[in-house]
Amino acid sequence: MDILTTLRETFFDLDAMREALPELVTVGLPNTLLLALTSAVIGTVLGMVLAVCGLSHRRWLRWPARIFTDVFRGLPAAVTILLIGVGLSPVGLQIWGPNPYPLGILALSLIASAYIGEIFRSGIQSVEAGQLEAARALGFSRPSGMRLVVIPQGVRRVLPALVNQFIALIKESSLVYFLGLLASQRDLFRIGQDAAANTGNQSALVLAGLFYLVVTVPLTHAVNAIDRRLRDGRRDDGAAHAPDADEPSGSPEPALAVTQEPR
């Protein structure tokens, strides 16, 4: 019983949670969502550019995109954030002052773009080559065929993986605390960590973790719903085009009756 009491007081102290709750709601949650959503938008745009460049027939577009992707996928996220946030801090001080958010968002966006670019590239490559050939036969140029025919189909196929990357980005946003945050700039993790360090009790950090779960778990179920919907849609399309089992495969189509009234 003493062990259970110690665990409850250390991780589930309601008074400590109640004390940290207002700051987590009013400061930590908005800052976390700001970091994650802004980085997701920028990372998605850069990721699409990387995917298109990586599939280009021109080497001067393909090779830089591949090198960029390999570098930012291979480096740990903490190393990238520190390199950009600390290395470019003199430039940031001259442009926007001591706010570390722009450099943190830049680092998170570059990390996300490397992964999202590979997700988009795999989705585009999964589209049958005949789709682009059919678009070219209809008079589309190659860029127009890619933009209007191939890319929309590829993006639709990788939506679950894309949402999974957004979930990872929400969790990686906690690493921005390495750059040093003011009291009004702290995210969920930093507020929970500060409260735990000041009180010696981990309940506030557990509550911060619960906030992350509240944000990410619905997204996880949304991923499953999207994936299930897409798979069911493909099955329905296949069933719609499948011949009826009761109808003979070689039966001729019914002739159209043409009648003409007498003049």
Side-chain angles (χ1 to χ4, degrees), residues 67-79:
I67 294 173
F68 179 95
T69 300
D70 291 340
V71 168
F72 283 98
R73 288 182 70 193
L75 288 176
V79 173

Side-chain angles (χ1 to χ4, degrees), residues 155-256:
V155 172
R156 179 178 181 270
R157 296 182 180 186
V158 298
L159 279 179
L162 194 60
V163 179
N164 277 330
Q165 184 57 41
F166 291 159
I167 293 173
L169 189 59
I170 293 173
K171 295 182 289 186
E172 289 177 352
S173 65
S174 63
L175 298 176
V176 175
Y177 87 95
F178 286 141
L179 305 182
L181 301 174
L182 300 177
S184 60
Q185 298 171 339
R186 294 179 299 169
D187 62 340
L188 290 171
F189 170 72
R190 188 62 180 177
I191 292 175
Q193 186 188 43
D194 288 345
N198 293 333
T199 62
N201 191 290
Q202 305 300 315
S203 300
L205 193 57
V206 171
L207 182 60
L210 293 177
F211 271 92
Y212 280 106
L213 291 177
V214 168
V215 176
T216 58
V217 169
L219 286 176
T220 304
H221 289 288
V223 170
N224 296 332
I226 292 172
D227 186 47
R228 185 165 54 251
R229 179 68 178 270
L230 293 178
R231 286 188 284 107
D232 291 344
R234 285 195 291 270
R235 284 200 296 267
D236 292 342
D237 293 341
H241 292 85
D244 191 356
D246 297 333
E247 181 181 351
S249 58
S251 59
E253 295 182 357
L256 295 178

Side-chain angles (χ1 to χ4, degrees), residues 47-65:
M48 179 58 70
V49 173
L50 287 174
V52 174
C53 292
L55 294 172
S56 175
H57 295 304
R58 297 178 175 88
R59 293 184 178 180
W60 62 273
L61 286 176
R62 186 172 66 252
W63 283 107

